[in-house]
Amino acid sequence: MLANKEFFPFKKQRGIVNFAPMPAKKYQWLVAGLVFAILWSSASTATKIALKAAQPLIIAVARFGVAALIMLVIAHGILRKPLPKGKEWSQLIIYGLLNITVYLGLYVIAMQQVTASIGALTVAVSPVFISFMSVFFLKKPLSGQIILAICICLLGIIVVAWPLLDGASVTPLGLTLLVASMLSYSVGTIYFSSRNWHGMHLFVINGWQTLFGGLLLLPVALFTYKPLLNHFTWNFWGGTLWLAIPVSIGAVALWLALLKQDAVKAGMWLFISPVFGIIIAALWMQDPVSIYTIAGLLLVLGGLALSHFQARKVITNT
């Protein structure tokens, strides 16, 4: 997942190696931003496609295995980066537990009981959740703007889900699991930003934390495995590989490139990602787009904007 100081008002990660800056041409920045927003917002739809063929935790374990293998081969086999050492291993395990096992484990289970549009909107509000959780873990002051932003974003998600609650496409349990997953992701992001990674390359961190997170999830996946519910068809492999490569690897690499060029402008692409998420869900999953969808989207965007301006104020004053 993503981390941006412009949105998350706490100490910047120490010792992380950034990707090479993008060329300064504006059209290249625009193309990179659009591709990032589309890839990032496609995750919920790809998950729903894979869920047509397999159990959620089987999809998750396969995704993490493929993504971890690719990143570790690049990190240690191609780039020749050193292995983690000492307490860095325990940090990677804890980060993987929060950011992979709990967060994405709950997320993929929740996606069985919500639409792709709801999933995309919930992921989009992660900056607001992180600002809220930093109050408890980093002793940041709890401002009225953050509370209002959370309420507005949650209201927006409820508005989108409201007309679907009578059917099987959205359930209260699914929404609850989504919120719980975002809380775990928020804690994981704060943990990541508060640790000293001693110059460790991003692919080393992401590769190992993804591997550990998947391994911790594997026993649960095997215990709940039901052969008749898993069919390794195009839906399974298409959705899973899309999540593993374009989303987990490609989108993150583009995000870092955007941050390297201009962190403030890069934040704009997080704002528009839920718009792409709803469009993709409507085209691929035939998710309904109604006045409730539009109203809820506007509320979520408003809550994100409020959180964004509060974060900028905090950064400016520190």
Side-chain angles (χ1 to χ4, degrees):
M1 295 295 286
L2 307 179
N4 181 358
K5 186 179 178 182
E6 178 66 16
F7 277 82
F8 309 151
F10 46 79
K11 182 167 54 178
K12 185 179 180 182
Q13 303 97 309
R14 290 173 289 180
I16 303 303
V17 178
N18 290 317
F19 283 77
M22 292 174 55
K25 295 179 181 179
K26 291 183 179 180
Y27 78 90
Q28 292 178 320
W29 179 85
L30 180 64
V31 170
L34 286 172
V35 173
F36 158 76
I38 292 170
L39 291 179
W40 192 245
S41 61
S42 68
S44 58
T45 294
T47 302
K48 295 292 287 187
I49 291 173
L51 283 170
K52 291 181 178 181
Q55 292 177 274
L57 296 186
I58 300 303
I59 297 167
V61 168
R63 171 191 179 180
F64 303 147
V66 172
L69 177 63
I70 293 174
M71 286 188 284
L72 291 176
V73 167
I74 293 174
H76 300 303
I78 299 175
L79 300 178
R80 302 294 183 181
K81 298 298 179 181
L83 288 168
K85 55 186 178 181
K87 68 176 183 180
E88 292 170 352
W89 288 110
S90 61
Q91 291 181 181
L92 288 166
I93 293 172
I94 294 172
Y95 184 41
L97 174 66
L98 294 169
N99 196 52
I100 299 295
T101 309
V102 179
Y103 161 52
L104 289 176
L106 289 177
Y107 174 81
V108 72
I109 293 172
M111 288 304 297
Q112 291 181 299
Q113 302 185 46
V114 299
T115 64
S117 298
I118 298 294
L121 281 176
T122 306
V123 171
V125 303
S126 59
V128 185
F129 279 97
I130 293 172
S131 295
F132 177 71
M133 295 304 292
S134 67
V135 172
F136 303 98
F137 290 92
L138 298 177
K139 308 301 181 183
K140 295 289 182 180
L142 180 60
S143 69
Q145 280 183 273
I146 292 299
I147 296 176
L148 182 59
I150 291 174
C151 293
I152 292 174
C153 286
L154 291 177
L155 178 61
I157 294 171
I158 292 172
V159 167
V160 176
W162 187 258
L164 305 173
L165 286 171
D166 290 336
S169 54
V170 176
T171 68
L173 177 60
L175 292 174
T176 302
L177 290 175
L178 271 181
V179 172
S181 72
M182 294 314 304
L183 291 176
S184 179
Y185 167 63
S186 301
V187 175
T189 302
I190 293 171
Y191 177 82
F192 172 75
S193 293
S194 63
R195 300 297 98 182
N196 188 344
W197 297 96
H198 304 288
M200 193 183 300
H201 192 274
L202 181 80
F203 273 2
V204 177
I205 296 174
N206 274 347
W208 284 107
Q209 67 102 7
T210 300
L211 179 62
F212 288 139
L215 289 174
L216 291 171
L217 195 61
L218 182 59
V220 182
L222 292 176
F223 181 77
T224 58
Y225 181 75
K226 297 180 180 179
L228 295 179
L229 297 180
N230 296 279
H231 309 282
F232 301 103
T233 61
W234 181 92
N235 282 334
F236 173 82
W237 288 113
T240 301
L241 291 177
W242 184 269
L243 289 167
I245 302 173
V247 175
S248 294
I249 300 175
V252 172
L254 284 170
W255 175 249
L256 290 173
L258 291 167
L259 284 178
K260 182 67 175 179
Q261 184 170 353
D262 192 323
V264 175
K265 290 182 179 179
M268 179 189 73
W269 300 110
L270 286 179
F271 280 111
I272 69 171
S273 65
V275 178
F276 283 112
I278 288 176
I279 292 173
I280 293 170
L283 293 175
W284 280 85
M285 304 303 301
Q286 287 74 54
D287 278 12
V289 178
S290 65
I291 187 64
Y292 290 94
T293 309
I294 296 172
L297 175 62
L298 291 175
L299 284 169
V300 168
L301 293 177
L304 281 171
L306 189 62
S307 174
H308 172 70
F309 293 137
Q310 171 65 15
R312 292 191 65 177
K313 185 186 298 183
V314 171
I315 293 170
T316 302
N317 293 333
T318 56

